[in-house]
């Protein structure tokens, strides 16, 4: 995107399946999104990242695409999409599409053809070998599936219904360029690139992430599609180091505007990854935030996020979704949004939606939950079922995918269907948009204020471009930092714990921009921070 506009944007992520159903089939749809544009406008976000809406058998809820240039019938049709685009644009909201380039669905025409014979012209669109090596699928088990009819194995880093495309084949790459240009011509304003760091893989050498051809591939994508156009881009990179992130996001290299890196958000992963979470400390989080803020300064650009459709709800994870629900949700929002970078808000985060707990495994829909259960419990016996379920309650992806809670009516106002595709979280009776809008002290208004400060206040430039400096390092449960430029200093002080903490800090005549409690307990020399209290002070 030109003119550094991405630096000023705030993105709202929508998981279409769970956002708003207008047809009564228990599944969200495009018209549902259009009907809620005023809500997003009210919040103040100026970009929507739309999770995949392409034709798909929905084994991985759209991350398994069977036609890149057609709309999923479950969600509507191309007219609905064009209407969404137009209505969004009327309100000054831009639309970012989700591009899944690492793999297609096994239902894609290319794969069906490829599978039909070794000689088929689509065979080389995918990755085939006579013998598998020991690369593991990210969803558990081997990354190779045997195709009986042609007597070879195909490679799939995700589910076996998500075969990886062969990025060494120039014909595939050309097809992808054409597809991306098709959406650019339709008028979309941005792209989120799914698992982009897997494209340069060298399978025989067992290199999966950050492969040798990765940046060349991305640079060519840029040159042949979105480069030089009014398009914002972000890549999903679970394996990005600072050095990698700079390569992607240094404007001179003409790759992407920014990436999602996951170092902060995987700090609490344990022995078996997300399924065995451990406690995170304020110091660990503070160090990683600092590392990325300083690491990309003037060299690249950060994305800022705590939630998405693959992550549990942050208020349940690092906050307290009972006793300090509003306080901790607001503290986490303040902590993340006042940094340098482009903030991403995931649907429901702005009202403090929480994790869910279904009592049976069969109630869960997520393909990752079921394949990891097979791998970790049934096949390898590494975890007991109870241990695994505990992991699902804390970290499973369906926590983020329960229907959006609009009001306290039937199915939280999400759908009039008897059965929604995933059961609504029972706490919709009090955690919902209608309540949040009515209550001026709600989490929603903290998000709204954060967006306002970033985009429209006199502090805007300081928040977008100001220096970043950690402060209050001597307090083990406090995360503090200062943003500053020649006009302002802005101090962010967050209590990342349930303890009450006395902090030596002079409030004096500093202007209090945000406080997630009604007042501040202070004397001339210090402040007493309440559990999860967060303050933003400017001077
Ligand atoms: C990304 C998506 C996730 C999906 C996976 C495979 O990580 O965010 O939802 O399952 O890629 O496409």
């Amino acid at each position: 995107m030109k003119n550094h506009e991405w630096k000023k944007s705030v993105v709202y992520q929508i998981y279409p399946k769970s956002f708003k159903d207008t047809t009564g089939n228990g599944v969200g749809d495009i018209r549902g999104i259009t009907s809620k544009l005023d809500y997003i406008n009210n919040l103040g976000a100026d970009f929507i990242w739309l999770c995949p809406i392409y034709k798909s058998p929905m084994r991985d809820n759209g991350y398994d695409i069977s036609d890149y240039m057609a709309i999923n019938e479950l969600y509507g049709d191309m007219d609905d999409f064009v209407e969404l685009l137009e209505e969004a644009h009327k309100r000054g909201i831009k639309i970012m599409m989700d591009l899944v380039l690492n793999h297609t669905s096994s239902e894609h025409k290319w794969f069906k053809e490829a599978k039909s014979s070794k000689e088929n012209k689509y065979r080389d669109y995918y990755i085939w070998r006579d013998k598998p090596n020991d690369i593991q699928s990210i969803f558990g088990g081997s990354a190779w599936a045997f195709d009986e009819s042609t007597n070879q194995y195909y490679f799939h880093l995700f589910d076996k219904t998500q075969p990886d495309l062969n990025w060494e084949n120039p014909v595939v790459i050309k097809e992808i360029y054409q597809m991306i240009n098709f959406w650019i011509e339709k008028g979309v304003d941005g792209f989120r690139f799914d698992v982009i760091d897997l494209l340069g893989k060298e399978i025989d050498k067992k290199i999966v992430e950050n492969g040798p051809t990765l940046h060349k591939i991305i640079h060519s994508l840029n040159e042949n599609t979105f480069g030089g156009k009014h398009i914002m881009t972000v890549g999903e990179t679970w394996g990005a180091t600072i050095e990698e992130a700079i390569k992607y996001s240094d404007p001179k290299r003409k790759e992407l505007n920014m990436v999602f890196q996951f170092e902060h958000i995987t700090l609490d992963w344990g022995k078996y990854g997300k399924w065995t979470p451990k406690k995170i400390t304020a110091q660990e989080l503070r160090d990683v935030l600092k590392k990325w803020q300083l690491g990309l300064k003037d060299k690249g650009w950060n994305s800022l996020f705590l939630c998405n459709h693959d992550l549990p709800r942050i208020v349940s994870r690092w906050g307290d979704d009972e006793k300090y629900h509003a306080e901790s949700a607001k503290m986490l929002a303040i902590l993340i949004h006042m940094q340098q970078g482009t903030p991403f808000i995931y649907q429901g985060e702005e009202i403090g939606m929480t994790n869910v707990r279904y009592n049976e495994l069969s109630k869960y829909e997520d393909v990752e939950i079921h394949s990891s259960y097979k791998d970790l419990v049934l096949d390898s016996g590494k975890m007991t079922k109870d241990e695994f379920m505990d992991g699902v309650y804390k970290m499973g992806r369906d926590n983020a995918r329960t229907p959006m809670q609009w009001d306290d009516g039937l199915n939280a106002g999400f759908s009039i269907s008897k059965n929604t595709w995933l059961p609504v979280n029972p706490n919709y009776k009090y955690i919902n948009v209608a309540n949040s809008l009515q209550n001026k002290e709600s989490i929603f208004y903290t998000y709204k204020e954060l967006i306002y400060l970033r985009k429209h206040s006199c502090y805007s430039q300081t928040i977008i471009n100001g220096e970043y400096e950690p402060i209050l390092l001597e307090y083990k449960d406090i995360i503090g930092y200062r943003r500053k430029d020649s006009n302002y200093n802005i101090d962010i002080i967050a209590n990342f714990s349930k303890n009450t903490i006395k902090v030596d800090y002079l409030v004096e005549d500093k202007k209090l921009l945000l406080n997630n409690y009604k007042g501040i307990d202070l004397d001339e020399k210090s402040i007493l921070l309440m559990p999860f209290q967060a303050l933003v002070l400017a001077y």
Side-chain angles (χ1 to χ4, degrees), residues 377-426:
V377 182
L378 300 181
D379 294 351
S380 69
K382 285 179 180 155
M383 293 177 78
T384 65
K385 182 169 182 187
D386 284 352
E387 285 166 349
F388 185 77
M389 286 311 288
D390 190 56
V392 170
Y393 297 147
K394 292 191 175 124
M395 302 293 262
R397 304 196 299 182
D398 280 344
N399 285 309
R401 300 174 180 185
T402 60
M404 180 72 181
Q405 294 165 203
W406 294 105
D407 57 41
D408 63 2
L410 176 69
N411 296 321
F414 163 69
S415 166
I416 55 162
S417 161
K418 266 214 196 102
N419 292 309
T420 56
W421 77 274
L422 200 61
V424 172
N425 191 320

Side-chain angles (χ1 to χ4, degrees), residues 2 36 84 90 118 120 142 178 208 302 379 401 410 426 496 528 530:
K2 287 182 195 160
K36 296 295 184 185
L84 168 63
K90 270 188 210 160
K118 279 187 179 161
N120 189 283
S142 166
Q178 272 171 21
V208 174
N302 271 300
D379 294 351
R401 300 174 180 185
L410 176 69
F496 193 75
L528 194 64
M530 297 295 139

